[in-house]
Amino acid sequence: MPPAADIVKVAIEWPGANAQLIEMDQKRPLSSIIREVCDGWSLSGSEQFALRYADGPQLYITEQSRGEIKNGTILRLAISPARAARQLLERIQSHGIDARLEALKELAKLSADPTFAAEFINMEGIGTLARLVESGTHFGEMLAFTLTAFLELMDHGIVSWDLISLSFIKQIAGYVNQPMVDVSILQRSLAILESMVLNSHSLYHRVAQEITVGQLIGHLQVSNQEIQTYAIALINALFLKAPEDRRQEEYTNPLEQHLTEMASTLAQKHLRSIILNHVIRGNRPIKAEMAHQLYVLQVLTFNLLEERMMTKMDPNDQAQRDIIFELRRIAFDGENDPTGTEKRKAMYTKDYKMLGFTNHVNPAMDFTQTPPGMLALDNMLYLAKVHQDTYIRIVLENSSREDKHECPFGRCAIELTRMLCEILQVGELPNEGCNDYHPMFFTHDRAWEEFFCVCIQLLNKTWKEMRATAEDFNKVMQVVREQITRALAMKPSSLDQLKNKLRGLNYSEILRLRQSERMSQDDFQSPPIIELRERIQPEILELIKQQRLNRLCEGSCFRKLGNRRRQEKFWFCRLSLNHKVLHYGDLDESPQGEVPFEQLSDKIPVSDIKSVVTGKDCPHMKEKSALKQNKEVLELAFSVLYDPDETLNFVAPTKYEYCIWTDGLCALLGREMGSDLTRSDLDTLISMEMKLRLLDLENITIPEAPPPVPKEPSSYNFTYNYS
């Protein structure tokens, strides 16, 4: 008798017959089990059959994947992947329109299965599909299914994208460029072009020659957000893969530019205003994938600043030095310069000091640190030319103060530029799964420079409010950073809204917020208060534990990571109400609310769970690269390890859900909850409960001997809302 761990009880279906209930020995060859099942229904040629899941994606079961079969799984006997591939290949080349349509429909569904895909590709199936597209004879549903199958097959990574022909690219680009084309065909065409660009350097150049910005702008003006998302994703892909020298080129007519010239395109008012008015300010809520693509576009746009940020100023370059002369001229109107060289040099030194440069003799040396390099000088020149009155007011206002209280404009502008680069992560690759875009950066053609101008005025105002001196420079910069990050977290929709948010975050308000947060985190350190905290902590921990377990019972939806992010697949997991079983299963789309247990086909007894691992210790993260774009996924990953040597892998949608689930699973296993969220909640709830108890004590007439700390728990029923 094989050990029980190697046996799974399953049901196997076959059309027109009663299901077979068998105990599948996982140590026994799969071919032997299939032969036995075929004999049970008197089917000959067992080598022509295979097992598939009856529910969900209905994937084929192989020797490599059979370990994922759980007790109670319903399977289906089906024709083998090789036989299915051969039959479909024959049917899609038949002359009957209806038969070909049904074959392509079935192929589009089966192509997501890696086992079937490998067989179909080995039979030159991708070449057949490519020829069908190149022929230009397929339209409507038939073409949509053809493109879906092609994209699914290519996404498995079995065949190189470099093998795609130029005629195929032109045909796909033609569908994108047509003014009227079926939505499903347009979606798949945009997705195919994006995959070409991301997966092949040579195809990038070919695609970029076929598609122009003007042609894609039309797809941003439609009401279908899916089409808008695919269009922006294609722009992002071409932008990301564009050679550095092509990104910075300038062309006269932006709508006729090919997408290799992205820097000037993204600066053009037309494209920016289309995204702002038809996407960001459209009548539909921004979905997660659209938010991600807008975030990627924002990051890639700001990354155009990286070259200037990392360029040191050459003190011997006269053109660069002329910019500093211009800053001085605008501030102090240098038309009446003294004629003598020594007098001019002495005056310049005095003026450079008033401008707030660290090096008064040769201020060019202030711009040799990278970052921010020449980007700081660019920002200062923009302020001086575009907001000249503001620039002159800041400089003259500080030059008239007594020396110890003057705010050094030059030094502040350089340090502020460095700070803004850090806050907006200039030069960093986009994070996978991040949706943190800021609508206000799409409201102005020179959003970066305008953002700097708002922040330099904030810095000058905060300096005055703090009555700072040169020794307080770093303290002022810390306060300004906090003001900016708090304002950005409020997601202002325009630069004017940002100014309003910053006006409300003056130095006094920052002090108040800090004090409030400190009071909620740091309790009094006297012995009675410490003792009271220790008495309260166990019941608060139990409260947090119950909240975590209740959230696990409600369940959460998780996204399956795939090669193509916009065609998302989801699965749902929730804990049974008696805390004894984890139920989970696949979903076609993200649910609205709870998913009933009956819809979740798989389950894990809690008693079988051995441990919970996170981050790089997770099995599904060990093959991930350490690139920047995978860092955020790594921080949200966790796995449940359970008998016998099985894993259930998660990637949480947010950091909050990650903390809830890892804490809840630890509580379920009787282990310590150690997330940042638990520590924060514990401090907050203990502080609030202590304040309530101390308020009660204030109303008691205190006798000569102080009363003991009450042993009974507070009658206050504490409920914490995490929503």
Side-chain angles (χ1 to χ4, degrees), residues 518-533:
R518 190 178 299 116
M519 287 298 293
S520 68
Q521 295 171 4
D522 301 328
D523 297 314
F524 302 108
Q525 296 301 309
S526 61
I529 298 297
I530 293 174
E531 183 181 351
L532 180 58
R533 181 185 178 91

Side-chain angles (χ1 to χ4, degrees), residues 14 30 44 97 158 190 203 262 267 305 322 364 372 379 384 389 401 455 487 564 569 594 602 630 663 704 710:
W14 176 253
L30 201 55
S44 59
I97 299 297
I158 300 172
L190 288 167
L203 291 188
M262 292 304 301
L305 304 168
D322 285 344
N379 287 341
D389 291 344
R401 292 181 193 163
C455 292
R564 199 167 62 257
K569 298 180 180 178
E594 290 186 7
D602 300 307
N630 290 321
D663 281 344
E704 294 182 3

Side-chain angles (χ1 to χ4, degrees), residues 275-403:
I275 293 174
L276 177 66
N277 295 322
H278 292 271
V279 179
I280 297 174
R281 293 179 179 172
N283 296 324
R284 301 165 305 282
I286 300 292
K287 295 181 181 178
E289 181 55 29
M290 173 60 86
H292 174 72
Q293 293 301 335
L294 291 172
Y295 155 78
V296 172
L297 182 58
Q298 173 185 290
V299 170
L300 295 177
T301 304
F302 284 143
N303 281 357
L304 292 172
L305 304 168
E306 183 181 12
E307 182 180 352
R308 295 293 284 174
M309 180 183 76
M310 300 307 295
T311 299
K312 295 181 180 181
M313 185 170 186
D314 181 359
N316 298 317
D317 188 320
Q318 187 59 45
Q320 295 179 3
R321 293 173 63 187
D322 285 344
I323 299 175
I324 298 177
F325 293 154
E326 181 68 4
L327 290 175
R328 177 196 163 277
R329 186 196 65 77
I330 294 173
F332 304 116
D333 191 14
E335 293 180 2
N336 299 319
D337 283 350
T339 55
T341 304
E342 291 300 323
K343 289 183 179 180
R344 186 182 300 116
K345 185 175 181 181
M347 176 172 280
Y348 284 5
T349 300
K350 179 184 176 183
D351 290 348
Y352 291 147
K353 181 180 180 181
M354 293 172 67
L355 278 170
F357 289 114
T358 303
N359 191 318
H360 308 152
V361 177
N362 186 6
M365 299 303 296
D366 286 16
F367 300 95
T368 56
Q369 293 282 329
T370 57
M374 290 294 291
L375 185 59
L377 188 58
D378 295 341
N379 287 341
M380 295 164 70
L381 184 62
Y382 181 87
L383 175 68
K385 284 186 170 292
V386 179
H387 300 280
Q388 191 170 116
D389 291 344
T390 299
Y391 168 69
I392 293 173
R393 176 178 55 78
I394 291 174
V395 172
L396 296 184
E397 189 178 88
N398 285 289
S399 63
S400 63
R401 292 181 193 163
E402 53 184 304
D403 284 351

Side-chain angles (χ1 to χ4, degrees), residues 700-716:
I700 298 174
T701 303
I702 301 191
E704 294 182 3
V709 178
K711 294 184 179 179
E712 294 297 323
S714 169
S715 59
Y716 177 69

Side-chain angles (χ1 to χ4, degrees), residues 215-228:
Q215 290 159 342
L216 280 182
I217 278 180
H219 299 313
L220 298 177
Q221 295 174 285
V222 299
S223 59
N224 187 321
Q225 192 172 121
E226 295 297 318
I227 295 297
Q228 292 176 324

